[in-house]
Amino acid sequence: MRQPLVAGNWKMNGSRESIKVLLDGIKDGMGEVNRAAVVVCAPYVYLPGVQARLEGTAVEWGAQDLSIEASGAYTGEISAAMLRDFGCGYVIVGHSERRAYHGESDALVAKKYAVARAAGLIPILCVGETLDEREQGITEEVVARQLDALIELEGVAALTDGVIAYEPVWAIGTGKTASPEQAQEVHAFIRGRVAAKDADVAEGVRILYGGSMKPDNAPELISKPDIDGGLIGGASLKPEDFLGICKAAN
Ligand code: PGA
């Protein structure tokens, strides 16, 4: 039985003050979240503060990206070891915003996943098609390409303790959610593709849905057999909305 996972992706939002209020709100409501693992992925500079506020609670924390390099002359970069130093358990890799605005390729994203995993972080691999790709009918082709880059680099076993997030780009921050049926179809495709390599890995890998997930659409999405939780952007910035989704994952 896969444990549901709800991960908040704060993106480039927040201040010390707003994060304090947000985390206090989340911690206060965690008593009603009895099954799902809950993670918040914070901007780097806030990680020490997030660690201080969450240590010893049921809420885990992570980052939104990392470098493929271990250390050295890479100005502006943050390594996997640095994230571990702040108690990060998770890191998002290959978010569509990084793919679109920072030119991250499938190969680079696969490398980031591998580096994160080697350091003991749980990587959340984001995949998903743009609206144009969906309209062209190549959703599965795109998602397969993004997934295969990792499987070819590291082997399917790399997904054993990892997480995949299916995030249709057209649903991110737009208020347009994939219907539960549309999402389930792609999730089943992803699990099937992993199963073709290794059935046990496919059974264990958690596949999150991301893209305008809110407390009102979360129950139906998460009730689908291959949807194991959510990667939440906008709604992760409001404690009541984020907790509403965490409760739906119970
Ligand atoms: P959204 O973002 O929930 O605001 O659509 C999801 C994401 O980008 O991870």
Side-chain angles (χ1 to χ4, degrees), residues 9 11 95 97 167 171-173 211-213 231-234:
N9 173 13
K11 309 192 181 188
H95 190 278
E97 287 149 17
E167 299 205 302
I172 294 177
S212 300
M213 197 187 259
L231 181 56
I232 320 301

Side-chain angles (χ1 to χ4, degrees), residues 178-203:
S179 70
E181 293 69 31
Q182 275 174 324
Q184 166 58 26
E185 200 181 341
V186 182
H187 282 235
F189 170 77
I190 293 170
R191 201 178 302 285
R193 197 155 181 100
V194 177
K197 303 272 183 199
D198 189 315
D200 290 341
V201 173
E203 193 47 42

Side-chain angles (χ1 to χ4, degrees), residues 1-6 29-39 58 60 90 203 206 222-225 227-229 243 245-250:
M1 196 64 178
R2 295 181 292 272
Q3 187 193 18
L5 171 64
V6 178
M30 279 300 285
E32 290 169 73
V33 180
N34 45 39
R35 199 161 158 254
V38 176
V39 181
E60 296 176 85
Y90 291 78
E203 193 47 42
R206 281 176 290 179
I222 298 175
S223 71
K224 292 290 177 195
I227 303 184
D228 304 312
L243 285 164
I245 297 170
C246 295
K247 285 180 215 158
N250 279 337

Side-chain angles (χ1 to χ4, degrees), residues 168-183:
V169 178
W170 49 271
I172 294 177
T174 58
K176 278 188 214 145
T177 324
S179 70
E181 293 69 31
Q182 275 174 324

